Amino acid sequence: MRSLALFVLLAATLTSGAVAQSLPMTAEQRESRAISAVSIQKLRHTRHLPHRYLRVARKAMIAGLDIDDNDMARLGDHKDGLAAKRYAARLIARDPVAHASDIAYYSAIAAGTGRIYALDDMIAAMHHLDPVSEPWSRRHMLIKVLYSHAWAGNVMALDAVIAFNGEGTLFGPMSDATRARVLRHGAVHDGRAELLLAMKLMARGDVGPPVLQHAMDYLQRGAESRDLTISTTSRNLIPLLVGRLAAQVASN
């Protein structure tokens, strides 16, 4: 019953032109969300800061005192993970959409320096970023942090790699190398990556039979999953894809 309900939800999502960004997780997959990867060299000591006002601000922050936004942000820029996380939290409390770029960036610094709990905020903010206007320097930071967590085995990060790679997305079209690595690391999650990749391809309205055949290959792999949700959803999506392929052939 749960799988049937999920299928109905996914079918509605696909026909509306959007891609579901997540699927229910197994207990093991939920545990993998705690996997952290350090990809940014963090600030190790207050004396390493270049300016006295920053050293004073950091000491005050560590002592539990309030410091202003500018000081908090500058400490984050110097890879102080605690300051970056606290600054992002302030912005989330004010307006998570209006401040999405800063929230994603500073949460990435926090997550990249080992504060895994910042990864959720980073990914949530990324959904509000404009793929055209978001500065490449910031996107590069997001890629660095997200990929390192995904390749370390964090399923939430792997889902996000799939979500943010593709035509019109934040990271642009997925390269063959990234796709191969997604599938290799996704293998431990038994068809989850394949199903998400298939759904993403099916959600596009501008693709022909060759691309849809790739989606079919993914669904067939997902159908073999031991995870009942993945296998049932994949099997139920196959007829939708067969119908779409048939319609394309008939129209040519």
Side-chain angles (χ1 to χ4, degrees), residues 111-211:
T113 54
R115 298 177 185 275
I116 183 59
Y117 49 84
L119 191 65
D120 293 55
D121 292 336
M122 182 187 98
I123 293 173
M126 288 169 65
H127 286 290
H128 299 296
L129 301 183
D130 184 340
V132 176
S133 63
E134 188 65 17
W136 175 247
S137 59
R138 290 199 164 193
R139 279 186 282 175
H140 178 74
M141 172 71 80
L142 298 175
I143 289 171
K144 179 179 181 179
V145 172
L146 189 64
Y147 282 32
S148 65
H149 281 82
W151 307 153
N154 187 304
V155 70
M156 180 175 64
L158 191 65
D159 284 359
V161 169
I162 296 171
F164 293 110
N165 274 274
E167 295 290 342
T169 62
L170 191 62
F171 298 159
M174 182 179 286
S175 68
D176 291 340
T178 297
R179 185 178 298 104
R181 200 162 184 183
V182 164
L183 291 171
R184 185 165 70 251
H185 286 273
V188 298
H189 300 302
D190 199 13
R192 183 184 180 88
E194 285 85 352
L195 177 55
L196 287 174
L197 286 167
M199 290 165 55
K200 188 150 193 177
L201 292 177
M202 290 177 70
R204 292 175 56 186
D206 60 344
V207 296
V211 173

Side-chain angles (χ1 to χ4, degrees), residues 211-227:
V211 173
L212 293 180
Q213 187 56 55
H214 284 308
M216 181 67 76
D217 293 341
Y218 291 141
L219 288 179
Q220 288 173 341
R221 284 189 243 173
E224 298 172 357
S225 173
R226 292 165 296 177
D227 183 318

